[in-house]
Amino acid sequence: MSMKIKTKEKTHHINKLDRHQYLKHYQKHSSLKDRRLIQNEHDESEQKLTPQRYAVNTVIDREKSTTAQAVYRGKKFYQSKVKQRQMKNRNEKIHELNDLSKTVSDKKKLNYKNKDISKVKLSSKYKKIKNVSSFDSMTHQQKNMESTYLRNFQQKIQKMGTVSLNIKERVKHPFQTIKGAGNIVKKTVGGLNKLIGLGTGMLLIIVIVLFIGIFAVLGNDSSTHTSLMPLSDEVIAYEETIRKYAKQYDIEDYVPLLQAVMMQESGGKGNDPMQSSECEYNKKYPKEPNGITEVEYSIDCGVHYFSDCLTLANVSGIADTENISLALQGYNFGKGYITWAIEHFDGYTRANAKVYSDQKKAELQTEVYGDPDYVSHVLQYYHLGNGDIVIIAKSQVGNVGGKPYWTWYGFDQRVEWCAIFVSWCANESGQLNITVPKFSRVEDGIQWYKNQGKWKDRNYVPKAGDLIFFDWENDNDPDHVGIVEKVEDGKVYTIEGNSSDKCKEKKYGLNYNEIYGYCAI
């Protein structure tokens, strides 16, 4: 674990130096007094923060100053372009008007000339008629010419009104070029785009190009902590109560996550283990820290509130860690954060959690508002299933072909993958080589459990999480393995990989003659 942290620290350090060299011209210059104040604040906070947290905070501070400069310079650039365009349009209008004026002047001169011609005495009636006819013809041609010219001029004026639309179309092409980078940083850029306002597409491109390194760090920082810290005995003791209310509020799959929340909130200690006294569902006790003095009521309120957070954050399942992160931070800050983060940043990031906390501290005139690092603090106790292999298996139902599992195992082409699927689920739940071995052949798994003294024959009544083995031809040569989901009304419900090349939920009678045996996990 320490090696990963050191590598991450080194990467942040190198990126920080690179950005400093590239962006130093755009950084805001502080007075000597301001720099001393900032340095003192950083020196004091540095002692309290981990190196990783300090690095993230440093990048966040840099983002704020450089983004402010980018917005300022970008607006100046955009305004100068607008002025140039307006000047060009005005010059074109003046030129067009001059041409029109010249044409009108030429027409008047021609009229005068024609009038002079009409005054000439002709020798015959025939010539006089001919001259009048020629004058009328010339006047008609000139009217047509003037009408055509004015129509063309009007069309040019109308085209000038579409300049902004043409600019937007031209902006689309370079924007498409950096679309891939934009997707990486969409959360941060999305908020910046709303800040800048409409009509500044060019500025958006400039900001992305200048700060792609910084936004890449902050726009995709919702990754989860993958190490698994143990739950306390107190939290484990409340599992059935948590499950009771999780089932009531239709979030039973999230019991391990709720345990992680309780672990972070209280470690399972005290009369308000979910720290839910201040939530909206507390109707019996004072809405103040530790106001609730009844453990089960605290769990009821906390689970109910967390179910709302999951819904508001659009969490799709237990593996949806991005939106789970948003829901977790909402549990800590309040549901208002979820709405705010979606509106301004399209979701959770560590950076916007800190911004929200700072805003609330300023509004409420307080020194503390929630925990901006709440997500990583909770997820250190949660690894998808927190040891619950059934939850992991259920999340995979519907997968066809098994490629994620046999490629994970190390095969470069399809193999029979029922045992590989069981091994993969054990790995994702943190139980690989603890309660479940890594095996690809059914008989190897059976032998491992026999060696461990955990093998049970077909007369055993299994429990959730046990493995079930099948012998399709009853020839004492087992063929298949699955995971027991539950036992109910004389039937065993299973989740199996490679069942007709799919992940499926199935059920069998406990006396089904092709059940070979079980392993008791």
Side-chain angles (χ1 to χ4, degrees):
M1 186 62 192
S2 60
M3 289 297 292
K4 290 184 180 180
I5 293 175
K6 288 182 180 179
T7 302
K8 188 175 288 187
E9 289 174 356
K10 183 176 179 181
T11 302
H12 279 294
H13 180 64
I14 291 172
N15 289 342
K16 178 181 173 184
L17 290 178
D18 289 344
R19 290 195 297 275
H20 179 73
Q21 293 296 325
Y22 182 71
L23 304 173
K24 62 183 179 181
H25 178 72
Y26 298 95
Q27 292 175 1
K28 188 175 182 179
H29 296 286
S30 302
S31 65
L32 180 60
K33 180 178 179 181
D34 290 339
R35 287 200 299 273
R36 285 176 179 171
L37 179 59
I38 292 170
Q39 186 62 46
N40 290 338
E41 290 175 351
H42 281 199
D43 290 342
E44 292 175 2
S45 62
E46 185 178 2
Q47 297 175 0
K48 301 177 181 179
L49 300 175
T50 63
Q52 182 181 3
R53 187 65 245 170
Y54 176 74
V56 172
N57 285 348
T58 301
V59 174
I60 292 170
D61 293 338
R62 180 65 54 80
E63 180 210 22
K64 290 178 181 178
S65 62
T66 51
T67 301
Q69 284 294 306
V71 172
Y72 174 79
R73 293 176 184 276
K75 284 185 177 179
K76 287 292 185 183
F77 172 81
Y78 182 78
Q79 289 170 358
S80 68
K81 290 297 182 184
V82 170
K83 288 182 181 179
Q84 290 176 10
R85 189 165 65 250
Q86 289 174 344
M87 184 64 72
K88 182 179 178 181
N89 292 343
R90 188 174 65 180
N91 291 338
E92 288 178 355
K93 288 179 182 179
I94 292 173
H95 180 72
E96 298 286 2
L97 289 173
N98 286 339
D99 288 346
L100 180 60
S101 177
K102 182 178 178 181
T103 301
V104 173
S105 177
D106 290 343
K107 176 187 173 224
K108 287 182 179 179
K109 289 180 181 179
L110 186 59
N111 286 340
Y112 290 140
K113 183 178 178 180
N114 288 334
K115 286 179 181 179
D116 292 338
I117 292 173
S118 66
K119 292 179 181 179
V120 176
K121 293 181 179 180
L122 301 176
S123 58
S124 68
K125 184 177 179 181
Y126 174 78
K127 288 184 178 179
K128 185 179 290 185
I129 293 172
K130 184 177 180 181
N131 284 337
V132 172
S133 176
S134 297
F135 175 76
D136 290 341
S137 177
M138 183 67 71
T139 301
H140 180 69
Q141 291 174 1
Q142 290 171 4
K143 285 182 178 180
N144 287 339
M145 180 184 69
E146 180 181 354
S147 176
T148 301
Y149 187 88
L150 288 173
R151 185 168 59 253
N152 291 339
F153 178 75
Q154 184 179 17
Q155 290 174 352
K156 290 182 178 180
I157 295 297
Q158 290 174 347
K159 287 180 179 179
M160 292 178 186
T162 64
V163 168
S164 60
L165 294 176
N166 292 335
I167 290 174
K168 289 180 180 178
E169 289 298 319
R170 288 196 294 270
V171 166
K172 286 181 181 179
H173 299 290
F175 186 79
Q176 290 297 325
T177 304
I178 60 172
K179 185 176 179 181
N183 288 335
I184 296 174
V185 301
K186 67 178 182 178
K187 293 175 183 174
T188 304
V189 171
L192 179 62
N193 190 28
K194 293 184 179 182
L195 173 67
I196 293 171
L198 297 174
T200 55
M202 183 64 71
L203 177 57
L204 178 59
I205 294 171
I206 294 170
V207 171
I208 294 174
V209 172
L210 285 178
F211 303 109
I212 185 67
I214 293 174
F215 290 152
V217 173
L218 294 176
N220 193 30
D221 66 348
S222 59
S223 58
T224 62
H225 194 297
T226 57
S227 66
L228 183 62
M229 299 292 288
L231 299 174
S232 68
D233 292 339
E234 290 85 353
V235 170
I236 293 172
Y238 289 132
E239 179 178 351
E240 289 307 314
T241 306
I242 293 172
R243 189 175 299 279
K244 169 186 172 182
Y245 289 103
K247 187 174 183 178
Q248 178 177 328
Y249 299 116
D250 200 27
I251 56 170
E252 190 173 7
D253 287 348
Y254 298 89
V255 168
L257 187 58
L258 288 163
Q259 289 178 301
V261 170
M262 180 185 285
M263 190 67 197
Q264 176 58 26
E265 291 290 347
S266 67
K269 297 178 171 62
N271 293 323
D272 186 12
M274 291 297 287
Q275 292 293 292
S276 52
S277 295
E278 297 174 82
C279 89
E280 62 194 74
Y281 295 112
N282 174 19
K283 308 293 186 180
K284 294 171 57 176
Y285 297 93
K287 291 183 181 293
E288 59 186 31
N290 295 306
I292 293 177
T293 58
E294 180 186 343
V295 170
E296 186 164 342
Y297 188 71
S298 171
I299 294 173
D300 182 358
C301 293
V303 172
H304 195 177
Y305 191 79
F306 190 66
S307 71
D308 288 355
C309 293
L310 291 172
T311 300
L312 193 58
N314 298 313
V315 175
S316 61
I318 61 168
D320 184 8
T321 52
E322 183 174 353
N323 287 328
I324 281 175
S325 297
L326 179 61
L328 286 171
Q329 196 64 63
Y331 185 85
N332 180 250
F333 281 161
K335 289 184 288 190
Y337 164 78
I338 298 175
T339 304
W340 177 88
I342 291 174
E343 178 181 355
H344 295 286
F345 296 95
D346 196 30
Y348 162 84
T349 68
R350 290 173 182 155
N352 71 42
K354 186 177 186 306
V355 169
Y356 188 84
S357 177
D358 290 343
Q359 288 182 359
K360 286 297 183 180
K361 285 189 288 187
E363 290 175 13
L364 302 174
Q365 296 295 304
T366 181
E367 295 183 358
V368 178
Y369 186 86
D371 176 10
D373 295 319
Y374 186 78
V375 172
S376 60
H377 289 159
V378 170
L379 292 181
Q380 66 184 324
Y381 304 108
Y382 176 72
H383 188 274
L384 287 183
N386 261 4
D388 195 334
I389 194 173
V390 175
I391 289 178
I392 301 299
K394 285 180 68 175
S395 72
Q396 302 302 302
V397 171
N399 183 286
V400 178
K403 186 174 181 179
Y405 319 118
W406 49 258
T407 54
W408 162 82
Y409 198 94
F411 292 102
D412 58 5
Q413 60 184 358
R414 187 195 178 282
V415 295
E416 298 301 324
W417 50 276
C418 61
I420 292 172
F421 172 71
V422 170
S423 300
W424 183 90
C425 291
N427 181 67
E428 290 301 308
S429 65
Q431 295 301 303
L432 188 67
N433 294 325
I434 298 174
T435 59
V436 179
K438 186 174 182 179
F439 67 111
S440 61
R441 298 172 68 246
V442 171
E443 53 267 41
D444 290 343
I446 292 173
Q447 188 59 51
W448 191 87
Y449 286 109
K450 286 182 177 179
N451 294 340
Q452 297 288 320
K454 295 182 178 180
W455 177 254
K456 305 292 182 181
D457 63 27
R458 62 192 311 272
N459 296 314
Y460 167 76
V461 178
K463 63 182 184 303
D466 287 347
L467 303 189
I468 180 171
F469 293 83
F470 298 88
D471 180 3
W472 300 133
E473 298 177 0
N474 289 313
D475 57 1
N476 205 35
D477 183 13
D479 306 287
H480 187 64
V481 61
I483 298 169
V484 175
E485 180 179 358
K486 62 181 178 179
V487 174
E488 192 173 271
D489 298 329
K491 292 182 174 59
V492 54
Y493 292 77
T494 65
I495 304 168
E496 302 168 26
N498 198 31
S499 178
S500 302
D501 208 30
K502 297 179 182 178
C503 289
K504 290 184 177 180
E505 289 183 286
K506 303 184 75 173
K507 64 181 178 180
Y508 309 87
L510 284 172
N511 60 352
Y512 182 63
N513 65 357
E514 293 180 355
I515 294 176
Y516 185 73
Y518 305 90
C519 75
I521 293 181

